[in-house]
Amino acid sequence: MKKYIGEPVYLNLVGKKELTGVLIDYGSDVLVLLSQNDFYYIPLFHIREIRSLSKEEAGSFSQSDTAMTLSFDEQLSLKEVLHAAAKGSFVEVNITAAHAIHGYITNVLDDYLVLFTPIYETILIPIHHIKFLIPYSKDSRPYGFKLTKAPVSVIKGPPSAFEDHLAKLKGSFITLNIEGKDSISGQLIGKEAEFIELLTVREQQIHLNIHHIKTVMPFVFKEEKQQL
């Protein structure tokens, strides 16, 4: 990986996503790619291929003065990237090749994060499903709004493990895998082994594998917000 530092490269990611840019840095489980005006923080787990670009393919790559970088307290890693982004940066979190969610990271737990979004409010995202993350510049105005500080999560004391949080949502109305082809909504009946049980709008009971759940959006009634 070290040989590619400072060089224009091509990346092929899981999910048929292709990226080109200059490799800026890499850590134990993540690399940093500068592409156009954005820094992409990409988990190594999702990279299928990396190679140098030819002079013809590379064209002209140069570091942007407007791209947003993150400051790290420790060695570069995916967890450090998420913790740094949780200090108030507006971010784009890419879950699939055609599925990105924008918002503020409010909590980083053992194996998932909590994201507050202007569109969906609170979303739970298992960390291993994150394909890449792009932080916005501090002076950016998402949707034309300028916030003086990042929103605070309505979820109080979230469990450290994703499966435990799902168990806590028993009896709640949730939407899984928002915006994806496999998006589905229903009442969470319970959790058994590696599956959760969902009751759909027609009261059909289905079981879904927890490891294939990319996002969870709990519908929170106003009187329940303080209980989460």
Side-chain angles (χ1 to χ4, degrees):
M1 194 73 70
K2 188 175 181 179
K3 63 174 287 188
Y4 296 115
I5 294 291
E7 297 294 326
V9 296
Y10 162 87
L11 298 180
N12 185 317
L13 308 184
V14 172
K16 299 181 180 179
K17 178 69 175 180
E18 298 177 323
L19 294 171
T20 58
V22 176
L23 183 60
I24 301 301
D25 198 2
Y26 71 95
S28 59
D29 59 355
V30 67
L31 64 73
V32 186
L33 184 78
L34 175 59
S35 182
Q36 297 181 346
N37 292 326
D38 292 319
F39 281 101
Y40 288 68
Y41 293 83
I42 309 170
L44 301 182
F45 177 78
H46 293 297
I47 299 175
R48 298 179 60 183
E49 175 191 350
I50 179 170
R51 63 172 173 82
S52 297
L53 291 179
S54 66
K55 291 183 179 180
E56 292 75 18
E57 290 176 312
S60 176
F61 287 96
S62 61
Q63 185 161 332
S64 170
D65 294 329
T66 60
M68 173 64 181
T69 56
L70 299 172
S71 299
F72 306 104
D73 297 328
E74 299 180 13
Q75 183 181 5
L76 179 62
S77 68
L78 181 56
K79 270 296 188 70
E80 277 298 307
V81 168
L82 296 175
H83 281 294
K87 295 177 180 179
S89 298
F90 190 83
V91 298
E92 173 184 328
V93 181
N94 189 280
I95 308 300
T96 67
H99 183 192
I101 305 173
H102 299 81
Y104 295 90
I105 297 174
T106 59
N107 303 90
V108 180
L109 291 310
D110 288 352
D111 60 351
Y112 74 106
L113 59 83
V114 180
L115 189 76
F116 178 88
T117 79
I119 299 175
Y120 305 109
E121 292 196 1
T122 299
I123 294 179
L124 314 179
I125 305 175
I127 291 175
H128 69 272
H129 280 302
I130 297 175
K131 298 297 187 297
F132 58 79
L133 178 143
I134 302 174
Y136 280 50
S137 63
K138 292 183 178 179
D139 59 351
S140 63
R141 295 168 55 92
Y143 307 106
F145 294 103
K146 182 66 176 180
L147 298 180
T148 56
K149 59 181 180 179
V152 177
S153 175
V154 298
I155 297 180
K156 306 300 181 183
S160 58
F162 180 63
E163 290 192 22
D164 292 338
H165 202 140
L166 286 175
K168 188 177 179 180
L169 291 172
K170 180 179 179 180
S172 300
F173 179 83
I174 61 174
T175 295
L176 306 177
N177 305 325
I178 56 173
E179 294 189 2
K181 292 186 296 184
D182 54 350
S183 179
I184 187 170
S185 300
Q187 180 185 166
L188 180 57
I189 301 301
K191 171 184 168 294
E192 182 180 354
E194 304 295 308
F195 292 81
I196 61 169
E197 182 180 352
L198 206 66
L199 191 66
T200 67
V201 64
R202 292 186 178 275
E203 298 189 65
Q204 178 186 12
Q205 293 182 337
I206 59 174
H207 288 79
L208 301 165
N209 191 310
I210 292 172
H211 301 291
H212 295 286
I213 296 174
K214 300 179 180 67
T215 60
V216 177
M217 182 179 67
F219 181 83
V220 182
F221 295 97
K222 289 183 179 180
E223 61 269 22
E224 294 177 342
K225 287 188 175 181
Q226 296 304 318
Q227 299 178 17
L228 290 181

